Amino acid sequence: MKTVKLISVLALSAFVCFACKSNKTSTTEEPKGSDQTTENAQANEAPETVIIDSAKAAAGVAFLEEFYKVYDQDYDEGGFNEEYIKSHITPGMKQWLMDSYDYDCDGECMASWLFCYEGGGDTGGLKTRTIKPEGDAYLVSCIHDQGENKEYHYTIKLTLVQDGDTFKIDNLEKIDEHYVGYDE
């Protein structure tokens, strides 16, 4: 009797492991023109993975929204709060921001403006900012009002890493920067 229970437990464990593994391996969409029907595609989806990824993406967006809320408030009050920024970035990101600071500086100066605009440009006031998850990163698009139907657009990709129950910004990559409404 004990052998039958042991075999049943092992069989159930093997089934659960196989089911979990097969759910995690297929998270990509079927290519267009595939013979697989929509119903079959939905049956093969891994809702647990999607829910976890969606929750993590939403948590990342919330983290960045809060980061930018304080970032903007500090900037509006006279400058960047370097200590606040340092507390929300990894040591590698801090070093990258310090290396990107191209001006004379006493101490640990960081190119903190890179979270919102490229240095050296005339940006005007922030008009809108959007934060969208893209894979394991987040696209942050800032549009600055230049007046007279002119705008400055700046888009970056931020990568986050888990830090306990929150995140830290680990990488910043400039994706796009351009002016709109200017005669070329």
Side-chain angles (χ1 to χ4, degrees):
M1 184 68 165
K2 289 181 181 179
T3 307
V4 172
K5 286 183 180 179
L6 179 61
I7 292 172
S8 297
V9 169
L10 291 174
L12 180 60
S13 298
F15 175 75
V16 169
C17 288
F18 176 76
C20 290
K21 184 177 180 182
S22 66
N23 275 346
K24 291 181 180 177
T25 58
S26 177
T27 57
T28 58
E29 292 181 4
E30 285 292 318
K32 291 185 179 179
S34 171
D35 291 333
Q36 188 175 23
T37 65
T38 304
E39 183 177 292
N40 287 341
Q42 291 172 347
N44 289 333
E45 288 181 5
E48 295 82 14
T49 303
V50 172
I51 290 169
I52 292 169
D53 291 346
S54 295
K56 186 174 180 180
V61 169
F63 167 82
L64 289 172
E65 286 174 344
E66 181 63 26
F67 171 80
Y68 275 107
K69 177 181 170 186
V70 175
Y71 175 94
D72 291 340
Q73 181 181 347
D74 290 340
Y75 183 75
D76 290 345
E77 292 175 1
F80 300 110
N81 181 338
E82 300 285 329
E83 292 308 311
Y84 174 78
I85 293 171
K86 288 177 189 176
S87 71
H88 287 77
I89 61 177
T90 63
M93 184 68 203
K94 175 185 168 191
Q95 187 61 51
W96 184 83
L97 288 170
M98 289 170 57
D99 293 345
S100 298
Y101 194 92
D102 293 334
Y103 307 99
D104 289 333
C105 168
D106 291 326
E108 292 185 337
C109 298
M110 300 186 308
S112 300
W113 58 83
L114 293 174
F115 287 108
C116 196
Y117 58 89
E118 182 72 35
D122 183 18
T123 61
L126 182 66
K127 184 175 176 180
T128 63
R129 177 182 295 116
T130 58
I131 302 170
K132 292 191 264 182
E134 181 181 273
D136 62 349
Y138 299 83
L139 285 181
V140 179
S141 298
C142 301
I143 299 176
H144 299 266
D145 186 6
Q146 301 290 101
E148 300 177 10
N149 295 322
K150 298 175 183 176
E151 297 174 335
Y152 168 73
H153 293 227
Y154 181 70
T155 303
I156 58 174
K157 183 187 285 189
L158 296 177
T159 305
L160 304 180
V161 294
Q162 193 79 36
D163 183 37
D165 61 348
T166 188
F167 298 95
K168 289 205 177 216
I169 300 169
D170 188 48
N171 191 40
L172 183 156
E173 176 187 350
K174 183 174 106 176
I175 301 298
D176 182 46
E177 173 196 34
H178 64 276
Y179 292 86
V180 175
Y182 290 83
D183 292 333
E184 308 268 331

